[in-house]
Amino acid sequence: TTGTGNVMLFCSLQNQASRIFLYAFLSVGIVCTVVGNFLVVLSITYFKQLQSPTNSFVMSLAVADCLVGLLVMPYSMIRTIEGCWYFGVLFCRLHSSLDVMLCTASIFHLSCIAFDRYYAVCNPLLYSLKMSRSRVALLIVVCWAVPMLISFGPIMLDLHIAGVDVLLPEDVCVFLVNRIYAVMASLVAFYLPMAIMLVAYWKIFKAAKRQARQINSSKKQRHRNTMKRERKAAKTLGIIMGVFLIFWMPFFTVNIVDPFIEYSTEVVVWDIFLWLGYINSSLNPFLYGLFNRSFRRAFLMFMGCRVCLPGSSPGMELSHTRKEANEPAVNCCMFIFKKMFLENNFPLIIREASN
């Protein structure tokens, strides 16, 4: 009996240690999501150089991702680790609605960014006309309104579980959906935006190759530099889209398949795929900071409280390289990054984006 008691005590302590580790690990992810996306919003709001049509979408995207970290991830963390739901049936519906809405809004913004880059690279003469302030504002409204319609309406009215015979205890908050909602919501929230992004970036890739050949035969340095910046921005956003596909594809694939296999997917599989999707909201601001010099300098200025120093202003030039020579922290980080990756045959796309 004593031996059995010791084994049970050991298992209890081991389980407690695992829970503490998971709480610490996921809490760090939540903090990184909130702080990173808040830095994006703060940087674009403060620095005039970052206030462009593309960055209007980026800022709205950061707001959606920041809200995922504030309103969705903490409760999902408790549900995942504890294995039950402590906040009632009504709040379960509200949490599921916010989860679907904010994650869908994040995906919609990425497709709008791809659409914006398509016109900037493929139709630069029409860009200012197609991406006017009013049109950008309208697209941002659509990025928030459509996700709200496909989340709060069906979920709060229980339309998403019409015909589902699975009974769940009140202390469980599992997002079950019927076949119709699973297919329609996944198409609107993921597969259609994914198709838009893939088509846009494929056309951008072809246009960039064509323009590169034209620039090679041209002696106009200013035009060459402009097109280089546009191609680099398109490549960076392409990497962001690639990360998005890697982290969200498993969840939406299972989301469609599960109702057709009688909801036999294990809860742990759902949790893993869902948290992979959340990771996308955590990674976006770090991708901006890594591949974009202006965002990188803006982040460092806010983290070092340098915006309060004399000589700092909203209209300052963030892409100026001479100032970076006077910033040891920037030089040290970039030296380590180049030694680890750029000088060891890391993909050319990242090598160019870091220049």
Side-chain angles (χ1 to χ4, degrees):
T1 304
T2 304
T4 303
N6 290 335
V7 171
M8 293 179 62
L9 178 60
F10 174 77
C11 292
S12 176
L13 292 174
Q14 191 176 36
N15 184 54
Q16 185 72 12
S18 300
R19 291 171 66 250
I20 293 173
F21 171 78
L22 284 174
Y23 270 119
F25 179 75
L26 296 180
S27 295
V28 169
I30 293 171
V31 171
C32 289
T33 302
V34 174
V35 173
N37 285 289
F38 181 71
L39 280 175
V40 173
V41 175
L42 203 60
S43 298
I44 296 174
T45 303
Y46 184 79
F47 292 107
K48 294 181 179 179
Q49 183 183 333
L50 297 177
Q51 296 169 7
S52 64
T54 302
N55 286 344
S56 297
F57 294 120
V58 171
M59 184 169 73
S60 189
L61 166 67
V63 171
D65 288 338
C66 189
L67 290 176
V68 170
L70 282 173
L71 304 178
V72 176
M73 292 172 68
Y75 300 100
S76 295
M77 174 181 67
I78 296 173
R79 179 184 61 191
T80 297
I81 297 174
E82 299 296 333
C84 57
W85 183 256
Y86 298 120
F87 310 104
V89 176
L90 180 60
F91 192 76
C92 174
R93 294 180 185 176
L94 180 61
H95 177 265
S96 298
S97 300
L98 285 170
D99 196 344
V100 174
M101 187 195 81
L102 293 173
C103 292
T104 303
S106 178
I107 295 170
F108 271 39
H109 281 93
L110 288 174
S111 63
C112 282
I113 291 172
F115 184 72
D116 173 87
R117 288 296 85 199
Y118 165 75
Y119 272 108
V121 175
C122 300
N123 296 287
L125 297 179
L126 296 175
Y127 178 74
S128 59
L129 177 64
K130 294 293 184 179
M131 286 297 165
S132 61
R133 289 187 178 181
S134 58
R135 184 160 296 185
V136 169
L138 177 61
L139 287 172
I140 290 176
V141 170
V142 170
C143 286
W144 287 97
V146 174
M148 186 177 295
L149 289 176
I150 68 172
S151 58
F152 276 88
I155 294 173
M156 298 304 289
L157 295 175
D158 285 340
L159 299 179
H160 67 301
I161 56 174
V164 177
D165 296 328
V166 180
L167 296 178
L168 296 174
E170 290 189 0
D171 62 344
V172 173
C173 183
V174 178
F175 187 57
L176 293 180
V177 295
N178 56 39
R179 296 179 180 181
I180 295 176
Y181 185 85
V183 173
M184 297 302 297
S186 296
L187 283 175
V188 174
F190 178 75
Y191 289 101
L192 289 179
M194 178 189 71
I196 292 172
M197 286 185 274
L198 289 175
V199 171
Y201 282 114
W202 173 246
K203 291 188 174 183
I204 289 171
F205 175 74
K206 292 196 299 184
K209 288 182 66 176
R210 183 174 63 252
Q211 292 166 354
R213 289 194 297 268
Q214 295 172 352
I215 291 172
N216 287 335
S217 61
S218 172
K219 301 298 182 181
K220 297 180 180 180
Q221 184 66 34
R222 181 178 180 181
H223 181 65
R224 182 185 296 120
N225 291 338
T226 299
M227 295 311 303
K228 181 180 178 181
R229 287 195 299 269
E230 294 293 351
R231 291 198 309 275
K232 185 168 66 174
K235 290 177 180 179
T236 302
L237 292 170
I239 293 174
I240 294 172
M241 189 204 72
V243 170
F244 148 73
L245 289 176
I246 291 171
F247 286 105
W248 271 122
M249 180 72 79
F251 173 82
F252 281 99
T253 301
V254 173
N255 191 54
I256 287 183
V257 172
D258 192 52
F260 293 91
I261 59 174
E262 303 302 327
Y263 307 100
S264 59
T265 305
E266 295 292 336
V267 174
V268 65
V269 175
W270 273 111
D271 283 337
I272 292 173
F273 288 169
L274 181 61
W275 279 97
L276 281 176
Y278 291 156
I279 289 174
N280 185 71
S281 296
S282 306
L283 289 180
N284 282 339
F286 294 97
L287 290 173
Y288 301 135
L290 180 63
F291 294 122
N292 188 294
R293 178 185 291 124
S294 298
F295 270 111
R296 185 166 63 240
R297 283 182 50 78
F299 291 172
L300 289 171
M301 290 190 69
F302 276 111
M303 288 188 292
C305 298
R306 297 184 182 182
V307 293
C308 303
L309 297 177
S312 173
S313 69
M316 69 178 296
E317 176 62 44
L318 292 172
S319 58
H320 200 283
T321 56
R322 289 183 180 179
K323 289 186 178 181
E324 287 188 348
N326 297 322
E327 295 177 4
V330 177
N331 285 336
C332 179
C333 291
M334 291 308 297
F335 174 78
I336 294 173
F337 174 75
K338 289 180 178 180
K339 283 295 182 183
M340 290 175 63
F341 300 108
L342 303 185
E343 296 180 7
N344 288 283
N345 298 319
F346 207 59
L348 180 62
I349 184 173
I350 297 182
R351 190 180 308 166
E352 289 184 0
S354 64
N355 290 332

